[in-house]
Amino acid sequence: MGYIKAEYGKNNIFELDVEIKDCNSIECLSFASGVAEEILNSIAKGKVKTFIGYKRALIGAIECAEFNNHE
């Protein structure tokens, strides 16, 4: 399907690089959703309010993002 690569980058920022090959749109969305959910659960550490807050922040960031790289 693809791979996920997370690196500790410049200025103490983690960088996430995702490449997906040979998948349909539903598989891609399912994969991205699963990754996001795992990250949010890891950050929230079982706290529902924290999970919801970060989820809203993630959705807001996606809605505001400019996607410049369409290959």
Side-chain angles (χ1 to χ4, degrees), residues 21-50:
K21 297 179 181 181
D22 302 322
C23 296
N24 64 39
S25 296
I26 293 171
E27 290 170 327
C28 291
L29 289 172
S30 176
F31 176 75
S33 175
V35 170
E37 187 174 0
E38 287 295 321
I39 292 169
L40 292 174
N41 277 316
S42 178
I43 293 169
K45 298 182 182 179
K47 297 177 184 168
V48 175
K49 287 179 103 175
T50 304

Side-chain angles (χ1 to χ4, degrees), residues 7-24:
E7 295 180 346
Y8 195 62
K10 296 177 183 175
N11 301 322
N12 298 327
I13 296 174
F14 284 99
E15 298 172 4
L16 181 64
D17 182 24
V18 178
E19 181 178 331
I20 302 172
K21 297 179 181 181
D22 302 322
C23 296
N24 64 39

Side-chain angles (χ1 to χ4, degrees), residues 32-33 35-37 39-40 52-64:
S33 175
V35 170
E37 187 174 0
I39 292 169
L40 292 174
I52 292 170
Y54 279 111
K55 179 178 151 184
R56 287 183 181 147
L58 177 61
I59 291 169
I62 292 169
E63 288 174 345
C64 293

